[in-house]
């Protein structure tokens, strides 16, 4: 399995921002549909944590790039 970090490092900044936006939208919809707060969902819902984790990883990659600690790797993943 390919680690998500290897995928995110190949994304453009626009793609990373889209991932962030999508994660936040999904998490908000989960709160609305279940009528639970984010804290309640985080306590019991594994899928919520997976989306939250993806959100954090995408944000971290964007932050690294903004600080000059990372650059996009345009090379395809080979395994």
């Amino acid at each position: 399995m390919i680690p998500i970090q290897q995928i995110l490092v190949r994304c453009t900044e626009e793609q990373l921002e889209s991932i962030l936006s999508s994660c936040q939208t999904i998490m908000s919809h989960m709160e609305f549909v279940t009528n639970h707060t984010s804290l309640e969902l985080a306590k019991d819902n594994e899928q919520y944590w997976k989306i939250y984790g993806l959100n954090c990883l995408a944000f971290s990659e964007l932050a690294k790039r903004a600080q000059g600690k990372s650059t996009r790797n345009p090379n395809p993943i080979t395994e």
Side-chain angles (χ1 to χ4, degrees):
M1 183 182 302
I2 299 169
I4 192 71
Q5 291 88 345
Q6 285 188 18
I7 296 169
L8 294 176
V9 77
R10 286 164 172 78
C11 291
T12 64
E13 283 79 9
E14 292 81 17
Q15 290 168 324
L16 291 168
E17 289 171 4
S18 178
I19 291 169
L20 276 178
S21 176
S22 297
C23 288
Q24 293 164 357
T25 299
I26 292 168
M27 290 164 57
S28 294
H29 286 313
M30 289 175 78
E31 292 172 36
F32 176 78
V33 170
T34 62
N35 200 30
H36 288 90
T37 66
S38 58
L39 185 59
E40 292 169 326
L41 283 170
K43 184 172 93 177
D44 296 328
N45 192 300
E46 181 181 346
Q47 298 305 317
Y48 189 87
W49 275 108
K50 288 180 180 181
I51 296 167
Y52 179 80
L54 177 59
N55 187 66
C56 290
L57 290 171
F59 181 80
S60 293
E61 180 60 29
L62 276 171
K64 287 180 199 174
R65 290 186 191 183
Q67 296 170 348
K69 295 179 180 178
S70 179
T71 57
R72 181 172 177 255
N73 178 353
N75 299 323
I77 298 173
T78 57
E79 285 198 26

